[in-house]
């Protein structure tokens, strides 16, 4: 594939704006990436534009779970659950090392809902939709061995089942990589100012380059908005709209709360489901679910009330660990784009997680949706687009991530080989070519290799330091103080590859550390 970095972007913007496109996708999260991928594989000329950075919004700040939506069964959303479990299985088979199985444990307590029988019945239906039995009940003594540290008062036993976990930002990058490999193009840092119309039909858009301030007109036969919580911004008023709901998370060092499974339980304050689970060598606690009233263009951040809520969840379920705010490595908050009819007084957790398509001539807007079902959402969007393009479209059922030839990686462990193959796919041979130069060492004991930073700086359209440390890699979440201690070594490796002057690096570092302090840390009073 051609080079994909800031220098390429600067030269390509005007050339890409001068083309005529079959499809332009607005939004660089998992939904937009999936639409671009499915359009590119069919030979459509297609371009994706993202106003900030790929996966900058919800798709780097999710709960990291690729799941079938067990909660949706209880609400009677059987089709959504069936689609989700089938797509989960596809992703597990196609992208091992990027999407991996995760064991979940639901502990059962005396007098609390759901009990073992009710929960076992839900899981039996869940397994039937997936086509395989995937759960087992553990009596008290066995559960104590499986899950030490759980609250013991009234504990009856626990049920274990399986879903999956991912690095959501890397999933977006992998999907974009497959789209680009099939001829699609993608640009970050291009904000859509307005849709261009001719006789009532959308015929393109006006975009502004965030780096230079230059504006470009792009022409397209169809425009798709896959902008998540921003879906209402460019469309006319309608009866349905997007209700932005914030979900926040805490990240703890694994040694402070070591868990080998994901633990699902009901929060004592409001009986909402909460999770504690292992991710990237650390432990995640999440999530909240409340209305997000702050401006969408500002970086979302956890509130003190949300932090207290999640710390209370730790104290409730793992009292012996005595987790406090001082134990928190980092936080993140994402805004979910939930479709709502505007009913007054409806709780955030009671809103449906179904998606919606809103159509006007020359334009399709996708609102809502789930990480797990991004492929199915893309196909639904493209069917709507195909009608506007006078084309037929069927589900080719082709793999989102085609199998790649095995690559020789003698300096890496089997686990490292699997991880890199899952994250980089067809780009793996080019990444491995950097190993001779950079080596195979890990960054500060994390699972991330230094070569991944070098690769991202050269080949993954990094415009700012937070792109590199919060999305291309997750070091800003996983290392203390946003990886502040590693910044001199990161600079030595990446500055020249990014093409930044000393002045530019100093400015980027200052801006990044301030962003991390404000939006990804937990402020602790001394």
């Amino acid at each position: 594939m051609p080079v994909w970095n800031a220098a390429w972007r600067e030269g390509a913007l005007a050339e890409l704006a001068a083309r005529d496109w079959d499809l332009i996708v607005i939004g660089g999260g998992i939904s937009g990436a999936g639409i671009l991928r499915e359009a590119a594989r069919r030979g459509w000329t297609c371009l994706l534009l993202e106003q900030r950075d790929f996966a900058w919004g919800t798709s780097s700040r999710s709960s990291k779970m690729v799941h079938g939506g067990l909660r949706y069964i209880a609400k009677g959303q059987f089709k959504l659950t069936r689609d989700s479990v089938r797509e989960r299985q596809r992703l597990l088979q196609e992208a091992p090392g990027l999407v991996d199985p995760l064991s979940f444990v639901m502990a059962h307590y005396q007098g609390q809902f759901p009990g073992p029988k009710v929960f076992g019945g839900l899981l039996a239906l869940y397994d039937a939709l997936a086509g395989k039995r995937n759960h087992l009940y553990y009596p008290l003594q066995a559960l104590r061995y499986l899950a030490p540290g759980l609250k013991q008062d009234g504990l009856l036993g626990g049920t274990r089942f399986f879903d999956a976990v991912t690095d959501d930002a890397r999933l977006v990058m992998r999907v974009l990589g497959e789209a680009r490999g099939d001829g699609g193009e993608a640009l970050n840092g291009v904000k859509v100012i307005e849709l261009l119309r001719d006789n009532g039909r959308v015929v393109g858009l006006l975009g502004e380059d965030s780096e230079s301030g230059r504006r470009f007109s792009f022409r397209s036969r169809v425009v798709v908005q896959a902008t998540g919580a921003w879906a209402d911004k460019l469309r006319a008023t309608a009866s349905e709209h997007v209700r932005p709901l914030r979900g926040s998370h805490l990240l703890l060092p694994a040694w402070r709360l070591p868990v080998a499974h994901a633990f699902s339980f009901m929060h004592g304050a409001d009986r909402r489901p909460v999770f504690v689970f292992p991710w990237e060598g650390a432990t995640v606690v999440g999530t909240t679910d409340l209305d997000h009233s702050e401006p969408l263009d500002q970086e979302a951040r956890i509130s003190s009330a949300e932090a207290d809520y999640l710390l209370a969840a730790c104290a409730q379920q793992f009292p012996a660990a005595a987790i406090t705010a001082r134990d928190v490595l980092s936080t993140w908050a994402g805004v979910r784009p939930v479709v709502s009819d505007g009913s007054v007084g409806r709780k955030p957790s009671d809103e449906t997680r179904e998606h919606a398509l809103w159509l006007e001539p020359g334009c399709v807007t996708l609102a809502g949706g789930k990480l797990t079902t991004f492929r199915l959402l893309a196909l639904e969007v493209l069917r709507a687009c195909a009608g506007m393009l006078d084309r037929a479209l069927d589900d080719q059922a082709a793999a989102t991530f085609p199998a790649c030839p095995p690559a020789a990686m003698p300096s890496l462990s089997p686990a490292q080989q699997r991880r890199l193959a899952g994250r980089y796919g067809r780009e793996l041979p080019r990444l491995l070519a950097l190993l001779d130069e950079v080596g195979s060492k890990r960054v500060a004991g994390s699972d991330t290799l230094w070569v991944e930073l070098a690769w991202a700086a050269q080949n993954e359209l990094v415009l700012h330091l937070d792109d590199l440390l919060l999305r291309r890699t997750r070091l800003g979440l996983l290392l203390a103080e946003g990886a502040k201690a590693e910044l001199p070594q990161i600079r030595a490796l990446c500055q020249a590859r990014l093409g930044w002057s000393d002045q530019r690096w100093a400015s980027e570092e200052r801006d990044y550390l301030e962003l991390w302090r404000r939006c990804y840390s937990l402020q602790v009073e001394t």
Side-chain angles (χ1 to χ4, degrees):
M1 284 190 286
V3 68
W4 198 42
N5 56 28
W8 166 84
R9 178 186 177 280
E10 185 176 356
L13 252 173
E15 188 272 325
L16 295 176
R19 292 192 201 175
D20 289 318
W21 301 93
D22 291 328
L23 172 70
I24 294 180
V25 182
I26 308 172
I30 189 60
S31 295
I35 294 164
L36 188 75
R37 198 270 176 276
E38 293 299 326
R41 81 152 85 241
R42 289 166 170 81
W44 295 16
T45 57
C46 50
L47 169 69
L48 180 146
L49 301 176
E50 160 57 39
Q51 66 173 339
R52 299 288 288 264
D53 183 37
F54 307 120
W56 178 84
T58 312
S59 294
S60 63
R61 308 159 192 258
S62 74
S63 292
K64 320 304 182 195
M65 294 179 187
V66 177
H67 60 80
L70 182 60
R71 60 178 288 194
Y72 306 135
I73 292 181
K75 294 187 176 184
Q77 295 174 292
F78 298 112
K79 182 180 183 301
L80 179 60
T81 306
R82 182 199 64 198
D83 290 344
S84 296
V85 295
R86 292 178 180 178
E87 291 301 300
R88 178 197 67 191
Q89 292 307 113
R90 281 179 62 105
L91 290 168
L92 283 168
Q93 293 165 10
E94 292 179 12
L98 175 59
V99 180
D100 292 311
L102 180 63
S103 167
F104 282 70
V105 173
M106 168 68 83
H108 303 293
Y109 291 88
Q110 186 72 42
Q112 290 189 8
F113 182 86
K117 290 185 178 179
V118 171
F119 195 65
L122 286 173
L123 285 173
L125 181 54
Y126 196 51
D127 292 350
L129 293 170
K132 59 185 294 188
R133 180 178 172 83
N134 211 17
H135 73 278
L136 185 65
Y137 177 74
Y138 287 80
L140 181 58
Q141 288 304 113
L143 182 65
R144 284 173 173 163
Y145 179 80
L146 184 71
L150 280 177
K151 181 183 71 172
Q152 296 295 304
D153 292 348
L155 185 61
L156 301 174
T159 304
R160 185 185 184 193
F161 62 102
F162 286 85
D163 263 320
V165 67
T166 191
D167 179 337
D168 49 1
R170 287 308 319 177
L171 180 63
V172 171
M173 295 304 295
R174 177 79 194 275
V175 176
L176 286 175
E178 295 297 336
R180 293 187 65 247
D182 285 343
E185 295 284 4
L187 292 169
N188 52 1
V190 179
K191 182 178 181 179
V192 175
I193 304 301
E194 62 176 333
L195 300 180
L196 303 179
R197 292 175 168 86
D198 184 10
N199 293 322
R201 181 183 179 89
V202 174
V203 295
L205 57 88
L206 178 65
E208 181 177 273
D209 175 20
S210 64
E211 301 301 294
S212 67
R214 294 180 297 168
R215 290 191 171 186
F216 300 87
S217 294
F218 295 82
R219 296 186 301 274
S220 181
R221 297 176 67 192
V222 179
V223 172
V224 168
Q225 293 193 75
T227 52
W230 288 260
D232 287 333
K233 188 171 183 181
L234 297 173
R235 61 186 286 265
T237 303
S239 58
E240 290 182 307
H241 65 95
V242 171
R243 180 180 182 181
L245 299 178
R246 187 171 68 246
S248 297
H249 303 75
L250 306 177
L251 193 70
L252 306 171
W255 66 268
R256 278 301 286 122
L257 188 55
V259 292
H261 316 274
F263 290 90
S264 175
F265 55 96
M266 300 298 177
H267 198 293
D270 55 9
R271 305 303 298 163
R272 279 191 59 258
V274 183
F275 298 92
V276 175
F277 61 96
W279 180 73
E280 293 291 306
T283 300
V284 177
V285 183
T287 179
T288 59
D289 194 15
L290 71 165
D291 285 299
H292 181 74
S293 57
E294 298 172 11
L296 291 174
D297 288 341
Q298 293 181 7
E299 199 110 6
R301 57 182 176 177
I302 194 171
S303 68
S304 58
E306 288 174 287
D308 290 344
Y309 177 90
L310 295 176
L311 290 171
C314 293
Q316 170 189 318
Q317 203 67 12
F318 299 93
I323 300 297
T324 71
R326 296 182 184 279
D327 295 311
V328 175
L329 261 180
S330 62
T331 72
W332 70 82
V335 181
R336 306 181 188 99
V338 175
V339 178
S340 174
D341 61 6
S343 297
V344 177
R346 181 177 290 171
K347 294 180 180 178
S349 56
D350 289 337
E351 291 281 14
T352 176
R353 264 42 176 184
E354 294 281 7
H355 66 281
L357 292 188
W358 299 320
L359 278 64
E360 63 174 297
C363 184
V364 178
T365 299
L366 169 66
K370 295 172 74 259
L371 178 75
T372 310
T373 55
F374 72 87
R375 186 188 72 91
L376 298 182
L377 293 177
L379 292 173
E380 187 173 341
V381 168
L382 291 185
R383 287 189 190 99
C385 294
M388 299 179 187
L389 294 170
D390 295 323
R391 295 181 180 178
L393 186 136
D394 61 351
D395 184 358
Q396 300 175 353
T400 302
F401 307 116
C404 298
M409 296 180 264
S411 63
L412 302 177
S413 70
Q416 289 173 322
Q417 294 179 33
R418 186 173 186 272
R419 180 179 179 278
L420 291 182
R423 279 164 169 73
Y424 298 97
R426 67 172 80 192
E427 294 282 26
L428 183 61
R430 293 177 61 205
L431 180 143
L432 295 177
L434 280 175
L435 275 175
D436 291 339
E437 177 185 351
V438 179
S440 58
K441 289 185 178 179
R442 298 185 298 164
V443 182
S446 71
D447 290 336
T448 303
L449 305 182
W450 284 103
V451 72
E452 295 181 75
L453 283 163
W455 170 261
Q458 287 182 205
N459 300 288
E460 290 191 336
L461 208 46
V462 170
L463 300 183
H464 297 283
L465 190 56
D466 60 297
D467 301 343
L468 181 66
L469 297 181
L470 293 175
R471 287 172 292 278
R472 305 300 182 276
T473 70
R474 314 317 291 269
L475 295 173
L477 300 176
L478 295 165
L479 301 183
E481 297 183 273
K484 183 178 181 179
E486 286 69 36
L487 284 176
Q489 195 170 349
I490 293 171
R491 178 178 184 174
L493 179 67
C494 296
Q495 182 177 344
R497 290 180 164 88
L498 290 165
W500 293 352
S501 66
D502 289 345
Q503 183 179 5
R504 171 73 185 275
W505 182 276
S507 174
E508 289 285 344
E509 186 172 307
R510 182 174 59 251
D511 291 347
Y512 163 71
L513 290 174
E514 172 56 25
L515 171 68
W516 187 89
R517 184 200 65 78
R518 189 175 69 253
C519 298
Y520 292 89
S521 70
L522 194 61
Q523 303 300 311
V524 180
E525 296 182 2
T526 58

